Amino acid sequence: MFDIKIYKARRTELKKRISSGLILFLANHESPMNYKDNQYRFRQDSSFLYYTGIDEPNIAAILDIDENKDILFADDPQVDDIIWMGQLESFNEKAMKSGMTEVLPFAKLSEVLSRAKRTQRNIHYIKPYRAEHIFMLMDFFGKKREEVETQFSLELTKAIVVQRNKKSDQEIEEIEKAHDITRQMHITAMQMAKPGMRESEIAGTIEGIALSNGPGVSFPAIVSVRGEILHNHSHGNYLKEGDLLVNDSGAESCMHYAADITRTFPVSGTYTTKQREIYEIVLQAQITAIEQLKPGILYKDIHLNAAKAIAEGLKALGLMKGDMEEAVQAGAHALFLPHGLGHMMGLDVHDMENLGEEFVGYAEGQKRSEQFGLAYLRLARKLESGFVLTVEPGIYFIPELYNQWALAKRFDSFINYEKVKDYLNFGGIRIEDDVLITSNGHRVLGKPIPKTIRDIEEIRKK
Ligand code: GLY
Ligand code: MN
């Protein structure tokens, strides 16, 4: 946990931002895999962690704005639980470390909420994403599922986003601890990969590194020679000479802050000429995008600049043609780059995605594009110091998308379909780093992880 002062200050600021009433935070529950007592790794809700630091299931917190009380609802384990799980720190002790003003039995929660409802006080809660929370809210408020899912507090959501979007120095330290573990995962993958190996050997090893050094991965590792499948979570392919391996993976720090890094390296040890040419385009687009980062600039513009750099690079190779400014405006580059340049990162790898990307990555009134590709951009807003975000351009050759577009002759004034055909078994390349926006620029977080062709080939040769 951070120091008690940090949690108290976070809650005080939140209560100041909300006009009146109660703020309800529900901790996550244990989640069964195949029967009740055989559970997935527990992961606390990130807002619960941010405001209380208490990393335990089946509890709740209420911040009473009008009476300025912070109440924890939790039941200490009984002997029956202690036999199986051991003696744990009491919730009174945990509440004390977090600076909560009161601890009540969990059963009191519905009483407190009923009383608030009777006296017509506002009860603010965030949009639920777990079934248990939806059921609890349905019970508390006597409402239907659709109602509890849509009647979350906009005021609370926006206030949390303002606070959590800006990372403090202590949070940056945590993210860099996550990055240290992640760096080890990436370097290990580069050192161990060889032809004949199954993707799962690498995925298992690096997820093991995350587990040996902290709570585990910040998302299921993407380790694949089919890099064109953007979120490929299956690890069943075998590595062979000539393949490119995309490793998009990250660990959590002990306090659950995330890192998220992607590297793409050759199974053979050196890149082929074709791979080298595409790699350099992605790398230059990524480096240039990072160089442009500073407060006050729209991330959407950085995304569009990177898309243009990629389109220009592809044009130089003869895969695209015409005016690349116009091509990007029309969305033709999305055949090769169908995703956004990056996202916010913090306690969640896609930070606060549960609260809604429209609040986290987009400013009030800033509309998300409906254009294919640009519509997937998670972060578009003006950057501010304290933001932590990813920069992750890529170039992919997705045969199914190619077939669909080529058949429809989509953007054929910008795309040289005959030439692209030669790349249909290429796979994909993505390069990703995590960056902090500082008061006058930016800082790439963590110690460097090999990224240039020379550095990657160097480590692969060893
Ligand atoms: N690292 C996976 C993603 O950013 O979506
Ligand atoms: Mn990412």
Side-chain angles (χ1 to χ4, degrees):
M1 276 176 87
F2 289 123
D3 190 85
I4 177 172
K5 283 196 216 109
I6 290 181
Y7 298 106
K8 284 170 87 169
R10 285 174 176 177
R11 294 194 298 264
T12 301
E13 189 184 333
L14 182 65
K15 284 182 281 185
K16 266 196 213 136
R17 286 179 186 276
I18 310 284
S19 45
S20 67
L22 305 178
I23 301 169
L24 168 65
F25 285 117
L26 298 173
N28 277 341
H29 288 65
E30 294 281 14
S31 190
M33 288 193 286
N34 49 348
Y35 53 91
K36 186 173 162 287
D37 287 339
N38 200 23
Q39 298 153 343
Y40 290 104
R41 168 169 78 91
F42 172 71
R43 177 53 159 82
Q44 184 59 288
D45 173 75
S46 295
S47 291
F48 199 93
L49 265 183
Y50 183 85
Y51 290 106
T52 72
I54 304 177
D55 195 6
E56 294 291 334
N58 311 326
I59 58 178
I62 280 186
L63 315 185
D64 189 322
I65 299 165
D66 314 315
E67 294 184 18
N68 197 22
K69 283 197 293 199
D70 299 343
I71 314 164
L72 180 69
F73 296 85
D75 299 323
D76 277 326
Q78 301 301 301
V79 173
D80 280 7
D81 307 305
I82 293 169
I83 293 168
W84 293 96
M85 308 299 286
Q87 177 64 284
L88 309 164
E89 190 181 40
S90 77
F91 280 109
N92 270 324
E93 289 167 89
K94 287 184 198 297
M96 207 129 76
K97 286 185 187 165
S98 171
M100 304 290 285
T101 52
E102 222 173 303
V103 183
L104 293 177
F106 192 82
K108 289 273 178 204
L109 177 60
S110 66
E111 256 176 57
V112 171
L113 289 173
S114 302
R115 197 163 52 238
K117 232 169 47 177
R118 266 200 318 276
T119 51
Q120 302 199 326
R121 299 180 66 197
N122 270 327
I123 302 171
H124 300 268
Y125 65 87
I126 55 176
K127 187 177 161 73
Y129 57 91
R130 289 218 178 186
E132 295 89 346
H133 290 172
I134 294 170
F135 288 135
M136 282 170 84
L137 294 168
M138 286 165 70
D139 277 352
F140 290 147
F141 300 121
K143 287 187 176 168
K144 293 201 188 73
R145 177 186 177 151
E146 297 72 41
E147 291 171 321
V148 299
E149 280 185 308
T150 52
Q151 293 173 4
F152 63 91
S153 165
L154 217 52
E155 197 183 3
L156 175 63
T157 302
K158 289 179 184 172
I160 293 175
V161 168
V162 170
Q163 253 183 298
R164 283 184 55 194
N165 259 349
K166 293 247 199 183
K167 272 69 183 177
S168 66
D169 292 347
Q170 293 93 337
E171 290 182 285
I172 303 299
E173 256 177 56
E174 280 301 311
I175 293 173
E176 294 205 288
K177 285 181 199 164
H179 190 281
D180 275 346
I181 307 170
T182 303
R183 181 168 179 271
Q184 218 182 310
M185 292 160 68
H186 279 269
I187 290 176
T188 302
M190 287 177 193
Q191 287 168 336
M192 73 180 285
K194 56 175 191 241
M197 203 173 249
R198 201 168 182 242
E199 291 162 349
S200 53
E201 272 187 67
I202 301 166
T205 302
I206 65 174
E207 289 207 356
I209 292 173
L211 267 178
S212 330
N213 292 281
V217 291
S218 49
F219 60 98
I222 299 163
V223 177
S224 184
V225 290
R226 298 286 309 278
E228 80 283 8
I229 305 172
L230 303 180
H231 279 181
N232 192 354
H233 288 146
S234 67
H235 303 129
N237 297 309
Y238 286 84
L239 280 54
K240 55 180 194 319
E241 296 283 357
D243 281 343
L244 283 173
L245 188 78
V246 169
N247 175 10
D248 179 348
S249 56
E252 282 192 348
S253 72
C254 289
M255 295 190 43
H256 298 288
Y257 283 83
D260 180 10
I261 298 290
T262 308
R263 291 292 183 265
T264 306
F265 61 84
V267 170
S268 295
T270 52
Y271 295 88
T272 65
T273 303
K274 214 169 176 177
Q275 290 169 347
R276 190 175 288 265
E277 287 169 349
I278 300 289
Y279 193 92
E280 278 301 340
I281 299 172
V282 180
L283 181 62
Q284 287 318 314
Q286 201 241 12
I287 291 170
T288 309
I290 291 174
E291 280 168 358
Q292 294 165 10
L293 296 174
K294 60 178 181 193
I297 199 153
L298 280 176
Y299 197 70
K300 185 179 176 181
D301 287 342
I302 310 280
H303 167 88
L304 290 171
N305 293 346
K308 178 142 178 280
I310 279 174
E312 292 285 5
L314 292 170
K315 182 180 167 183
L317 290 181
L319 278 74
M320 291 190 79
K321 56 191 175 175
D323 183 308
M324 289 303 100
E325 189 82 44
E326 283 173 26
V328 168
Q329 196 110 64
H333 65 285
L335 175 63
F336 309 99
L337 171 62
H339 64 70
L341 185 65
H343 51 84
M344 297 291 252
M345 197 187 76
L347 275 166
D348 309 296
V349 67
H350 291 174
D351 212 21
M352 295 174 273
E353 198 163 292
N354 63 308
L355 297 177
E357 272 171 9
E358 67 273 35
F359 304 115
V360 180
Y362 286 75
E364 194 115 27
Q366 190 183 19
K367 222 175 114 26
R368 198 176 180 127
S369 167
E370 287 174 9
Q371 185 186 75
F372 175 76
L374 197 50
Y376 292 124
L377 182 61
R378 301 179 195 280
L379 172 61
R381 74 192 305 158
K382 209 179 259 183
L383 302 180
E384 294 175 31
S385 68
F387 282 12
V388 171
L389 48 87
T390 68
V391 181
E392 48 179 311
I395 294 181
Y396 312 90
F397 295 90
I398 306 165
E400 294 78 4
L401 188 61
Y402 171 90
N403 290 339
Q404 190 195 62
W405 282 32
L407 195 69
K409 296 193 167 52
R410 191 155 184 209
F411 300 125
D412 63 353
S413 58
F414 296 125
I415 297 165
N416 191 347
Y417 282 105
E418 260 320 292
K419 180 87 184 178
V420 180
K421 208 189 262 174
D422 299 339
Y423 286 76
L424 289 182
N425 61 357
F426 184 96
I429 289 175
R430 177 164 62 253
I431 306 171
E432 174 177 29
D433 284 304
D434 306 331
V435 186
L436 165 71
I437 306 302
T438 59
S439 58
N440 55 2
H442 63 270
R443 180 165 77 80
V444 179
L445 294 175
K447 295 192 202 94
I449 300 169
K451 183 162 85 165
T452 62
I453 288 185
R454 209 180 65 188
D455 289 351
I456 289 180
E457 289 186 346
E458 184 68 30
I459 190 169
R460 291 289 295 139
K461 261 188 257 157
K462 282 190 200 152

